[in-house]
Amino acid sequence: MPTVRVRDNENFELSLRRFKRLCEKAGILADLRRHEFYEKPTWKRKRKKAAAVKRYQKKILREQLALERDRQPIGTGNKREAA
């Protein structure tokens, strides 16, 4: 649990903002939302599989863009330099 020490003559809103930022970095709210309702094991598997598919597609897209960038002939990158 994140703790925040209130400094001398510090505004309460500023302390609260620091506390919220620490909670966000620690992932407390995300964890709380995840545990708010019971998630069936099949839903967990489905969510994890969807995340894996999304990561894989993102990886493939990055590799394709890298290949296209490497395939460009030399000298066709920036038209302003040629003019």
Side-chain angles (χ1 to χ4, degrees):
M1 181 73 178
T3 58
V4 174
R5 293 189 182 224
V6 180
R7 300 176 188 142
D8 293 334
N9 299 327
E10 184 179 20
N11 194 357
F12 175 74
E13 284 81 19
L14 187 62
S15 302
L16 184 63
R17 189 180 318 154
R18 282 194 299 132
F19 178 72
K20 286 182 179 181
R21 191 177 314 129
L22 285 174
C23 286
E24 186 67 33
K25 284 184 180 181
I28 293 174
L29 289 177
D31 189 46
L32 183 70
R33 286 191 192 106
R34 197 172 35 134
H35 291 324
E36 190 173 5
F37 301 105
Y38 177 74
E39 187 176 22
K40 291 183 178 180
T42 54
W43 293 351
K44 280 185 184 179
R45 285 194 300 268
K46 187 175 182 179
R47 181 174 46 84
K48 286 184 179 183
K49 186 175 181 180
V53 167
K54 187 175 180 181
R55 282 193 311 269
Y56 180 73
Q57 288 177 344
K58 193 174 180 180
K59 178 184 172 187
I60 295 296
L61 181 65
R62 278 195 310 258
E63 289 174 356
Q64 286 177 349
L65 290 175
L67 283 176
E68 288 177 9
R69 187 175 58 234
D70 292 342
R71 283 188 201 158
Q72 285 183 350
I74 298 173
T76 60
N78 195 349
K79 294 182 181 181
R80 289 185 183 181
E81 290 179 6

